[in-house]
Amino acid sequence: MNYEKKSELLKALGHPVRLKMVEGLMNDECNVNKIVDVLNIPQSTASQHLGILKNRGIVVARKEGVKTCYRVIDKRVRKIIHALNG
């Protein structure tokens, strides 16, 4: 087992805002503006958190005109979120 990689994954999920983002993005892709509205956080904060999730390979971004839409692609993260909600 690669403990460093597992630890990095858990660190990325270790912030309440990122957990909320991941949970929200599991069932539906979403753009930054919607995330900002739903979580009531500044756009810059949302972008920082999304950058961390993207760099860890948890979410992927897709351009739609001027909007960037995000969705969860890491199956392990889906299992972790389901376990936390169980």
Side-chain angles (χ1 to χ4, degrees):
M1 178 186 305
N2 185 333
Y3 291 103
E4 292 228 3
K5 282 193 175 189
K6 305 276 188 206
S7 175
E8 290 301 316
L9 176 70
L10 293 173
K11 283 182 201 174
L13 295 174
H15 193 284
V17 170
R18 290 194 291 271
L19 272 177
K20 289 178 190 176
M21 285 180 166
V22 168
E23 184 177 35
L25 294 172
M26 281 185 29
N27 299 319
D28 194 17
E29 87 175 3
C30 190
N31 68 47
V32 176
N33 292 334
K34 186 172 180 183
I35 293 169
V36 166
D37 289 342
V38 170
L39 297 180
N40 196 27
I41 58 175
Q43 188 272 331
S44 60
T45 301
S47 293
Q48 282 181 320
H49 286 300
L50 286 166
I52 290 168
L53 295 172
K54 187 177 171 191
N55 287 338
R56 297 291 188 274
I58 296 169
V59 300
V60 67
R62 178 183 64 81
K63 287 284 191 183
E64 187 177 279
V66 295
K67 294 180 184 177
T68 303
C69 299
Y70 294 87
R71 66 183 171 87
V72 174
I73 59 168
D74 191 320
K75 292 178 183 173
R76 299 168 303 167
V77 169
R78 290 180 177 278
K79 289 178 183 178
I80 291 168
I81 297 298
H82 284 301
L84 291 173
N85 286 332

